[in-house]
Amino acid sequence: QYPGPVKVELAMRYGSPSIKSGLEKLQQANANRILIFPLYPQYSAATTASTFDAVADVLKTWRWIPELRMISHYHEHPGYISALANSIEQHWQTNSKPDKLLFSFHGIPKHYFTAGDPYHCECHKTARLVAEKLSLNGDDWMVTFQSRFGPREWLKPYTDKTLMQLGKEGTKHVQVLCPGFSADCLETLEEINLQNRDFFTEAGGEQFSYIPALNDNADHIDALTKIIMEHSQGWNGHQQDLDKRLERAKNIGAKQ
C-alpha cells in the first residue's frame, strides 16, 4: 500500500475526457509523478505509441514536466493471462467447449509488421499463453484479425473470412474472444457478436458465441492493479518528504 494521495484520471485517446484534460487535472492536483497506462495489452505504433505521442504533445507545452513513466504493454503478464483463461472457462460452464476457439485481435496493415511493429508477435504470444494455460491442442484454437479497411493488405488470417470458411467446412460450434480489448465496444459487440456471427451461421455454422471482454471482471481489475503496482515501484514513501518541502517553500513565500 502506498502512503499519501494517489489521484487517478481517465482519458480517451479519441473521445472525451481527452488526454489533455486528464493531464491538466493531474497538473492542477500538483502531481509530481505520473504513470501513463494505455489499456492496450499488445503494443502497436498505431495505439500505444500514438497515446504516448498525444501525452507528449500536451507535456511539451508545460513549463515544468513531472517525473513520467509509461506502460508500453502487458500482453504476457501472468495476471492478464489468468484473467483471460478464467473468463473462457467460465464461459464454457454455460456454453460448453467449442469445436474452434478464435482469438480475434484488431488488425493493422501488414506493412506495419514488416517495418518492425511487434503487435503481430505479441498477439500470438497472448493467445499461445492462454491456450497453454487451458491445455488446448493446436487444432482447438487459432489467431485471427478483424476490423480491416482500405486497399492495403492487413494482417491475416481475417476473422470474417475465417468464420465463413469454418462454416463452409462443417465446423459447427465456434467461440470468439477479443483479448486486445480491455472493455467491450462496437467492434466487439457489433462487428464480432452480430456481423461475424451472421457470417458464420450463413456459411453453415450452427452455434456461435462471443466471450465478453474482461471489462470490470474482478480478475481483470486485480491484474491491472498488479501491473500498476509493479510499474510504480520506488514511488512509495515519498509523501512525507513532499510535505516537508511544501512547508519549507511556504516559509519562504510560496503560495502553494
Side-chain angles (χ1 to χ4, degrees), residues 62-80:
W62 292 11
R63 176 61 60 183
W64 178 77
I65 305 299
E67 185 175 344
L68 196 68
R69 292 183 184 177
M70 298 180 176
I71 299 174
S72 62
H73 57 187
Y74 55 100
H75 66 289
E76 59 183 351
H77 190 278
Y80 163 67

Side-chain angles (χ1 to χ4, degrees), residues 36-254:
I36 306 297
F37 190 6
L39 293 180
Y40 302 113
Q42 294 77 26
Y43 176 94
S44 172
T47 53
T48 311
S50 174
T51 300
F52 295 160
D53 288 344
V55 170
D57 286 342
V58 176
L59 294 182
K60 69 184 181 183
T61 67
W62 292 11
R63 176 61 60 183
W64 178 77
I65 305 299
E67 185 175 344
L68 196 68
R69 292 183 184 177
M70 298 180 176
I71 299 174
S72 62
H73 57 187
Y74 55 100
H75 66 289
E76 59 183 351
H77 190 278
Y80 163 67
I81 298 300
S82 292
L84 288 173
N86 290 341
S87 72
I88 295 170
E89 289 184 320
Q90 290 170 11
H91 190 79
W92 287 348
Q93 291 177 7
T94 55
N95 295 272
S96 74
K97 288 186 177 182
D99 299 323
K100 185 76 73 173
L101 176 67
L102 264 59
F103 294 85
S104 181
F105 294 88
H106 191 290
I108 60 172
K110 184 179 178 181
H111 72 273
Y112 284 26
F113 170 59
T114 56
D117 196 304
Y119 179 75
H120 178 268
C121 300
E122 293 192 359
C123 290
H124 275 272
K125 186 165 188 179
T126 292
R128 176 178 61 80
L129 291 175
V130 173
E132 289 174 355
K133 196 167 187 64
L134 295 172
S135 299
L136 298 179
N137 296 320
D139 293 335
D140 295 335
W141 61 279
M142 64 184 301
V143 172
T144 61
F145 296 92
Q146 67 194 64
S147 308
R148 71 187 186 280
F149 58 90
R152 290 189 174 186
E153 181 181 356
W154 284 47
L155 294 180
K156 293 182 178 180
Y158 301 140
T159 298
D160 54 359
K161 301 295 185 183
T162 299
L163 286 167
M164 293 176 193
Q165 188 64 33
L166 289 172
K168 291 177 182 178
E169 292 175 349
T171 301
K172 300 303 182 184
H173 184 189
V174 165
Q175 291 175 2
V176 183
L177 75 154
C178 300
F181 292 86
S182 57
D184 280 311
C185 61
L186 285 177
E187 290 186 39
T188 60
L189 299 177
E190 181 174 335
E191 181 179 352
I192 296 300
N193 200 24
L194 295 179
Q195 295 177 7
N196 281 268
R197 175 192 296 272
D198 290 342
F199 292 149
F200 178 64
T201 56
E202 290 172 3
E206 296 179 358
Q207 187 176 351
F208 176 102
S209 63
Y210 167 67
I211 301 175
L214 294 175
N215 297 310
D216 61 352
N217 181 297
D219 289 340
H220 188 210
I221 302 303
D222 183 59
L224 296 180
T225 300
K226 289 178 179 177
I227 293 167
I228 291 170
M229 297 289 279
E230 290 168 3
H231 283 267
S232 55
Q233 290 294 313
W235 279 4
N236 58 322
H238 190 60
Q239 186 61 36
Q240 187 176 16
D241 179 59
L242 287 178
D243 291 339
K244 290 180 179 179
R245 287 163 57 186
L246 178 60
E247 182 180 358
R248 290 193 294 268
K250 288 183 176 180
N251 288 338
I252 60 174

